[in-house]
Amino acid sequence: MNETKRFVDEEFAGRRYERDGRAGLVVDFGPGAEGSVDLVGDTAIVVVGDDQYEFEVPAGVTTRASMNNGVLTVEVEPENSDDTDGDSGSETEVRN
């Protein structure tokens, strides 16, 4: 089942989705936004400039997060995922 929930804040726009057994979060902070993301438990902590944002991350075994060109992407694989390619690129990977 594909499900998408969109949200808009004064500073950014984003969406949460569930697709192909995976859950995710995508947030666009705008062009030129430089930032970093850390995963702590079920929270993605994002720092953009002098501002800090926290987003709840769906439960799962493997969580990957990256921030490129002002866009935050968080992807969560369910506990029964068989993804074994091991390619995390420039992403932060946390296994619970």
Side-chain angles (χ1 to χ4, degrees):
M1 177 172 144
N2 294 341
E3 181 180 331
T4 301
K5 295 180 182 176
R6 298 180 189 278
F7 57 90
V8 177
D9 187 275
E10 292 178 11
E11 299 176 52
F12 54 82
R15 67 183 173 100
R16 294 179 185 274
Y17 65 87
E18 291 183 27
R19 179 178 56 226
D20 299 329
R22 295 182 181 189
L25 168 70
V26 178
V27 181
D28 187 350
F29 288 94
E34 302 258 341
S36 62
V37 58
D38 286 312
L39 296 169
V40 179
D42 63 351
T43 303
I45 301 172
V46 181
V47 177
V48 178
D50 292 332
D51 298 319
Q52 178 176 311
Y53 306 92
E54 295 183 9
F55 299 96
E56 184 178 332
V57 176
V61 172
T62 304
T63 305
R64 287 183 291 274
S66 63
M67 181 119 181
N68 295 306
N69 298 321
V71 177
L72 165 69
T73 304
V74 178
E75 188 173 74
V76 179
E77 295 180 16
E79 294 182 26
N80 59 356
S81 175
D82 292 331
D83 182 15
T84 58
D85 66 3
D87 181 20
S88 62
S90 62
E91 301 168 336
T92 300
E93 185 170 320
V94 177
R95 293 192 183 271
N96 294 331

